[in-house]
Amino acid sequence: MKLIGVDIGGSHISAAQVILENRHAEIANFHEADVDTYGNVESIISAWSEVIQRAKGDLIDVKIGIAMPGPYDYENGVSLIKDQGKMAALYKLSVKNLLAESLAVSPCQISFTNDAEAFLSGESYAGAGKEFQNSIGITLGTGLGSAIKVQEVVKDAKLWTAPFRDGIAEDYIGTGWFKNQAQNKYSLHISGAKDLLAEGFDPQISSELFTEFGRALGEFLFPYLIRLHAEGVILGGKISLAGDYYLPATKSYLETMGYPVPINVSELGEQSALIGACLPFVDK
């Protein structure tokens, strides 16, 4: 049995052959493309199938694991995404059956996994989360992705809507917060956290924003770490790459609260979801 890992987002898809053995993973024949998911059913499925087929190559006996953002009926591969514009044409359709037909494989050869679960599963199998039995996975970017792992079970935590301070978690932890805080506090227009590291950007403002963000992350994580008896946190997403600038504040807050834990940045990067999406076939 050969495994094909697929990671689908709102405007992008990547796919590759995945080789798993003894908590080690290798990626081969990697392909990716941007996809206009505002289009019709045929154009979306065709674009996705083309990339998956390129990764699949001449392989015949394959299992295809797909990491997909929610809301989704993952077991049946049915899209429940309807209010985001992207993928709207696929609402309530069996994407599993549509892809199976397009790729000329059986629907039972395709498995869907929540993208946050796939990230944490991949990192727990072969990356930054290998040492933890209980852990929290957080992806930091335009949105806030989250998953929890308790022993061998990984589940989407849906913490982006969790009540936090004067709003919800995603108001304070993600790209939107950096943009809003830079505008409201310093009258600066930025596109995201990466702008704070640009040459010529005021290092004092950059330091203040990162420190404030890092504290908020620690404050957000603390009750969930306690509740889950978590041994560590795994961070992914674009903002995780700037961890050196805000994680000291996160760790300092957790130490002050009496619950210091390792916070590891993803070792597998974008490959983690490809690997995690294939693990349901291995577990079975």
Side-chain angles (χ1 to χ4, degrees):
M1 176 183 68
K2 302 294 185 180
L3 298 172
I4 307 296
V6 183
D7 184 16
I8 292 178
S11 58
H12 188 262
I13 179 175
S14 58
Q17 296 175 19
V18 177
I19 301 96
L20 304 176
E21 187 174 359
N22 297 326
R23 312 284 287 188
H24 178 74
E26 292 184 19
I27 299 293
N29 206 29
F30 178 87
H31 293 275
E32 61 182 338
D34 292 326
V35 178
D36 176 14
T37 56
Y38 289 90
N40 58 32
V41 173
E42 292 75 17
S43 66
I44 298 171
I45 295 298
S46 175
W48 287 347
S49 297
E50 183 180 340
V51 175
I52 297 170
Q53 187 60 56
R54 288 208 302 267
K56 177 175 169 286
D58 296 329
L59 298 177
I60 298 173
D61 180 22
V62 297
K63 301 287 188 183
I64 302 169
I66 301 175
M68 181 79 79
Y72 237 79
D73 174 351
Y74 291 99
E75 184 175 351
N76 296 304
V78 174
S79 176
L80 301 176
I81 300 170
K82 65 174 180 175
D83 297 324
Q84 302 172 25
K86 299 174 181 178
M87 306 190 204
L90 300 172
Y91 179 60
K92 288 212 168 170
L93 297 182
S94 174
V95 177
K96 176 185 282 192
N97 289 343
L98 289 168
L99 283 173
E101 181 180 359
S102 180
L103 294 165
V105 300
S106 167
C108 68
Q109 291 174 260
I110 299 177
S111 172
F112 283 81
T113 301
N114 173 270
D115 56 352
E117 292 180 17
F119 163 74
L120 183 54
S121 293
E123 291 291 340
S124 298
Y125 180 85
K130 289 172 80 169
E131 65 190 274
F132 307 134
Q133 289 295 310
N134 294 0
S135 61
I136 298 176
I138 299 288
T139 53
L140 300 169
T142 304
L144 171 65
S146 59
I148 58 173
K149 176 177 180 286
V150 178
Q151 300 300 318
E152 297 305 315
V153 178
V154 178
K155 291 292 182 185
D156 176 21
K158 300 183 178 72
L159 295 180
W160 70 277
T161 58
F164 184 65
R165 292 185 178 173
D166 294 329
I168 61 172
E170 199 168 78
D171 295 337
Y172 295 88
I173 302 165
T175 297
W177 179 86
F178 280 103
K179 293 168 69 174
N180 292 336
Q181 195 70 351
Q183 175 64 49
N184 296 337
K185 196 170 182 179
Y186 304 103
S187 298
L188 293 172
H189 294 279
I190 64 171
S191 61
K194 66 179 185 300
D195 290 356
L196 306 186
L197 303 176
E199 187 176 352
F201 193 92
D202 187 327
Q204 179 66 31
I205 293 176
S206 175
S207 176
E208 288 176 6
L209 286 171
F210 275 127
T211 298
E212 195 174 343
F213 177 81
R215 179 184 168 84
L217 179 61
E219 188 180 328
F220 163 70
L221 286 171
F222 174 67
Y224 301 104
L225 292 169
I226 292 286
R227 193 177 307 166
L228 295 165
H229 304 289
E231 301 155 10
V233 178
I234 301 95
L235 293 185
K238 298 294 186 185
I239 298 176
S240 72
L241 302 177
D244 288 347
Y245 298 91
Y246 61 81
L247 284 179
T250 306
K251 293 175 180 178
S252 176
Y253 177 85
L254 293 175
E255 287 171 6
T256 300
M257 297 302 290
Y259 204 93
V261 294
I263 301 178
N264 298 341
V265 174
S266 166
E267 293 178 3
L268 303 171
E270 295 178 355
Q271 296 181 1
S272 58
L274 301 178
I275 294 164
C278 290
L279 288 173
F281 294 116
V282 176
D283 293 343
K284 290 172 186 175

